[in-house]
Amino acid sequence: MTQHAQQPHSSSSGHDQELPDYGQPAYELPGYGEQTHSRKRGVHWGWVIGTLTVLLVILVVVAEILARIVVGQVAASQIEDAMPEAVRADVEASPTGWCVLCEVIGGELSGLDVEGKNVEFGGARGTIDLRAEGITLTDPVALDGAEGTVEIGEASLNKLLASTAEEYGFTVHGLDLKDGVFGYTTEVQVFGIEVQIRVDASARMQSGGRIQINAESLSIQTGAAPTDIQLNPENFTLEFCVAEHLPEMLEITSVEVVDDALVIGYRSTEPFTLTEDAFQTRGSCS
């Protein structure tokens, strides 16, 4: 009788066979743990470097702002101190360079914007704007050059023209500036009758630091004189000297009526320093 070999069969003892745990590697790859710690250290140092960079940028920005403020205040103070006793002004100044801190360290400024408000000179009041270039931060401060404008309002200009008109033998009052034209009134004797005349004039720059108020048209405003009388505008044209109210190293470059003010352009003719001597010597009209 042939005996059949007994085949193995699963145990039915009730105990489940344990499966291998695949959650952990059978063995750890070389450098596995080191890579994890290295990434953590990299993230940590990256955060530190980023934070330090932001703080450095903030410090540089703050230093730049402070440098601009300090330089502006010091420059304004020196300009006010350098002005002659007869001139008064409220001065504000601000450097124009893109990195003032860098320029201060180097001892030079590329540019400086200066604004003088409520400037009193020669019995007049106005506003001065100035752009200086090539500023050397020595004691005293030296400038390669400067240019800007002087703005004189109606009230102050009326005073200047009134005193000048007296030299020409007539009066000027009721001055107004509009659309690039001077307008003022004066009185003349016509056939023994006093007649009030309206004069419309333009401003022209003349050589030698003078400005001409050129009368262009006349019209009779009041009086009993005939309205068809002929009056010569040249008799009401006058000139006044601007150079004698400015430092000698400045020359007049332009003149125009803008809104309700006379705007006079100027520039320096040579390098100068911010000292009282530089501003004390006035110009003259030749």
Side-chain angles (χ1 to χ4, degrees), residues 24-25 35 103 106 175 227 239 241 245 269 278:
Q24 298 293 332
Q35 292 176 359
E103 294 182 343
L175 176 73
T227 57
E239 291 182 356
C241 180
H245 299 293
T269 56

Side-chain angles (χ1 to χ4, degrees), residues 53-65:
T53 302
V54 172
L55 290 176
L56 181 60
V57 170
I58 293 175
L59 289 175
V60 171
V61 171
V62 171
E64 173 69 12
I65 293 173

Side-chain angles (χ1 to χ4, degrees), residues 82-88 119-123 241-250 276-285:
M83 288 182 176
E85 294 182 0
V87 179
R88 294 288 184 272
V119 182
E120 297 181 6
F121 57 96
C241 180
V242 176
E244 64 185 13
H245 299 293
L246 298 175
E248 186 179 32
M249 76 284 193
L250 300 181
E276 186 173 354
D277 291 341
F279 289 86
Q280 188 71 40
T281 305
R282 305 286 185 86
S284 60
C285 291

Side-chain angles (χ1 to χ4, degrees), residues 64-267:
E64 173 69 12
I65 293 173
L66 290 176
R68 289 180 177 274
I69 294 174
V70 171
V71 169
Q73 291 178 344
V74 171
S77 178
Q78 287 205 10
I79 292 172
E80 289 181 355
D81 292 341
M83 288 182 176
E85 294 182 0
V87 179
R88 294 288 184 272
D90 299 326
V91 178
E92 295 180 357
S94 59
T96 61
W98 67 272
C99 181
V100 175
L101 184 60
C102 304
E103 294 182 343
V104 170
I105 294 174
E108 294 184 356
L109 296 177
S110 57
L112 189 70
D113 282 340
V114 179
E115 181 180 9
K117 300 179 180 178
N118 300 319
V119 182
E120 297 181 6
F121 57 96
R125 183 186 294 268
T127 300
I128 293 179
D129 288 321
L130 179 146
R131 165 64 68 88
E133 297 179 347
I135 302 99
T136 303
L137 301 178
T138 54
D139 188 16
V141 173
L143 289 76
D144 288 344
E147 63 179 357
T149 59
V150 177
E151 184 176 304
I152 305 175
E154 290 180 352
S156 294
L157 189 58
N158 197 35
K159 293 180 181 179
L160 290 175
L161 292 184
S163 60
T164 302
E166 291 179 358
E167 301 175 4
Y168 285 79
F170 63 93
T171 61
V172 168
H173 53 83
L175 176 73
D176 63 83
L177 306 175
K178 186 178 180 181
D179 298 330
V181 176
F182 278 83
Y184 63 88
T185 57
T186 185
E187 291 81 24
V188 296
Q189 293 288 327
V190 179
F191 305 123
I193 302 173
E194 186 175 84
V195 178
Q196 188 176 74
I197 297 176
R198 164 75 179 192
V199 181
D200 289 331
S202 60
R204 297 179 181 177
M205 184 180 69
Q206 300 292 92
S207 61
R210 295 180 178 273
I211 290 179
Q212 183 183 80
I213 308 302
N214 185 54
E216 297 182 348
S217 65
L218 307 174
S219 59
I220 296 177
Q221 300 295 299
T222 60
T227 57
D228 59 348
I229 60 174
Q230 299 296 316
L231 297 174
N232 187 357
E234 291 185 2
N235 295 332
F236 301 94
T237 293
L238 54 88
E239 291 182 356
F240 66 96
C241 180
V242 176
E244 64 185 13
H245 299 293
L246 298 175
E248 186 179 32
M249 76 284 193
L250 300 181
E251 66 176 2
I252 307 302
T253 58
S254 64
V255 58
E256 62 178 333
V257 176
V258 178
D259 297 330
D260 58 350
L262 180 67
V263 179
I264 302 169
Y266 64 87
R267 67 184 174 195

